[in-house]
Amino acid sequence: MRDFDERFEAYMLGHTSEASRWMHVAGMAAALGAAAVAARRRRARDLWAVPGLFFSFAWTGHLVFERNLPVGVTDPGAAFSGDLKMIWMMATGRNAELKELVARLTAERDTAGAALSAVPAADAAPRKASA
């Protein structure tokens, strides 16, 4: 379970915008709606639209609000499980938890980045003292 939690945290760093997270929820709702319509009409060929609907919303969220590439480009497993968990949390009213998680993760990332930039380069030549 620890691996999933670590992967989910990495996944959430790619979903810092609340608007992008809501785009994922809207995409899942549209995809489930299309699947229900296809099932009701008993037309399996209409299921082709399901992934397209989801990804059109989710990727728009990434391109417009996050300005990043979706996690699924590099780690499809983390993207699938992360999408399901994030969408479930958003749909069940737990967005505040996600906001807190994103705030903590971005603060940790920014602190780590600042610490790394403060470390002097190992190959820098020592300066001579001026007389």
Side-chain angles (χ1 to χ4, degrees), residues 9-20:
E9 288 183 356
Y11 168 87
M12 285 306 298
L13 281 172
H15 297 83
T16 57
S17 165
E18 185 175 359
S20 175

Side-chain angles (χ1 to χ4, degrees), residues 84-114:
L84 292 179
K85 181 174 180 176
M86 179 184 73
I87 290 167
W88 179 255
M89 290 178 76
M90 294 284 290
T92 57
R94 295 171 55 198
N95 188 36
E97 288 178 54
L98 291 174
K99 285 181 183 180
E100 291 172 11
L101 175 63
V102 166
R104 179 180 61 82
L105 293 172
T106 54
E108 288 173 2
R109 180 189 61 198
D110 294 346
T111 301

Side-chain angles (χ1 to χ4, degrees), residues 1-116:
M1 189 63 165
R2 182 136 176 92
D3 286 341
F4 175 77
D5 291 339
E6 289 172 6
R7 288 176 77 186
F8 184 68
E9 288 183 356
Y11 168 87
M12 285 306 298
L13 281 172
H15 297 83
T16 57
S17 165
E18 185 175 359
S20 175
R21 293 193 299 268
W22 281 113
M23 290 292 289
H24 284 68
V25 173
M28 183 61 76
L32 291 174
V37 168
R40 177 78 174 119
R41 292 181 179 172
R42 295 184 179 160
R43 294 172 65 181
R45 70 176 184 263
D46 290 349
L47 291 173
W48 66 267
V50 171
L53 281 168
F54 173 73
F55 289 121
S56 65
F57 280 88
W59 285 33
T60 298
H62 282 281
L63 297 174
V64 173
F65 301 109
E66 299 283 354
R67 292 183 169 76
N68 65 12
L69 286 176
V71 175
V73 172
T74 57
D75 191 353
F80 180 72
S81 58
D83 280 340
L84 292 179
K85 181 174 180 176
M86 179 184 73
I87 290 167
W88 179 255
M89 290 178 76
M90 294 284 290
T92 57
R94 295 171 55 198
N95 188 36
E97 288 178 54
L98 291 174
K99 285 181 183 180
E100 291 172 11
L101 175 63
V102 166
R104 179 180 61 82
L105 293 172
T106 54
E108 288 173 2
R109 180 189 61 198
D110 294 346
T111 301
L116 288 176

